[in-house]
Amino acid sequence: QVQLRESGGGSVQAGSSLRLSCLVSGRAISGSTMGWFRQAPGKEREFVATTGGFTEYADSVRGRFTISRDNAKNTLYLQMNNLKPEDTAVYYCASCPIRYVNGVAAAEYDYWGQGTQVTVSS
């Protein structure tokens, strides 16, 4: 059974940094496409970043967020710098068993974590 567990969320002020972690069990992330998505209150879930065969970021986070993975720890990370109030959302990690996919569409992923809350105040 594949399980994803996010951690590292919290409440910070604008301009601060956070690092989210996603520990994966039941599937090796080295052979997977991994992604981060977020959902703000009253909005649809949106793509943030992906890594696998390709690395891509949403325009709203490019240059501020960095996605990375530690295959030995089977853990995905999202380093978030210069956080803005509009980054406030529940952040989800997701896993796709195929490495070389686009990774931007939520439908490409078959397993999701439970989410971790990030709140940025101005």
Side-chain angles (χ1 to χ4, degrees), residues 5-25:
R5 186 173 65 189
E6 303 97 334
S7 61
S11 296
V12 297
Q13 292 191 328
S16 299
S17 298
L18 281 174
R19 188 177 80 155
L20 305 183
S21 299
C22 175
L23 176 63
V24 181
S25 60

Side-chain angles (χ1 to χ4, degrees), residues 18-57:
L18 281 174
R19 188 177 80 155
L20 305 183
S21 299
C22 175
L23 176 63
V24 181
S25 60
R27 172 182 289 169
I29 67 170
S30 58
S32 305
T33 293
M34 300 296 299
W36 288 99
F37 289 75
R38 67 187 181 185
Q39 188 167 18
K43 296 187 177 181
E44 294 186 352
R45 188 170 300 190
E46 66 175 3
F47 166 76
V48 175
T50 184
T51 183
F54 313 98
T55 298
E56 186 58 77
Y57 296 92

Side-chain angles (χ1 to χ4, degrees), residues 1-105:
Q1 182 180 3
V2 179
Q3 291 185 324
L4 289 75
R5 186 173 65 189
E6 303 97 334
S7 61
S11 296
V12 297
Q13 292 191 328
S16 299
S17 298
L18 281 174
R19 188 177 80 155
L20 305 183
S21 299
C22 175
L23 176 63
V24 181
S25 60
R27 172 182 289 169
I29 67 170
S30 58
S32 305
T33 293
M34 300 296 299
W36 288 99
F37 289 75
R38 67 187 181 185
Q39 188 167 18
K43 296 187 177 181
E44 294 186 352
R45 188 170 300 190
E46 66 175 3
F47 166 76
V48 175
T50 184
T51 183
F54 313 98
T55 298
E56 186 58 77
Y57 296 92
D59 289 342
S60 59
V61 307
R62 187 177 290 113
R64 299 188 298 121
F65 290 12
T66 302
I67 189 171
S68 64
R69 63 172 74 197
D70 185 331
N71 291 337
K73 295 182 178 179
N74 220 38
T75 300
L76 178 74
Y77 300 101
L78 185 69
Q79 178 67 42
M80 307 185 294
N81 297 329
N82 191 23
L83 283 160
K84 303 177 180 181
E86 51 264 42
D87 295 318
T88 295
V90 177
Y91 284 71
Y92 299 90
C93 65
S95 174
C96 168
I98 303 171
R99 179 144 186 179
Y100 290 92
V101 298
N102 181 274
V104 174

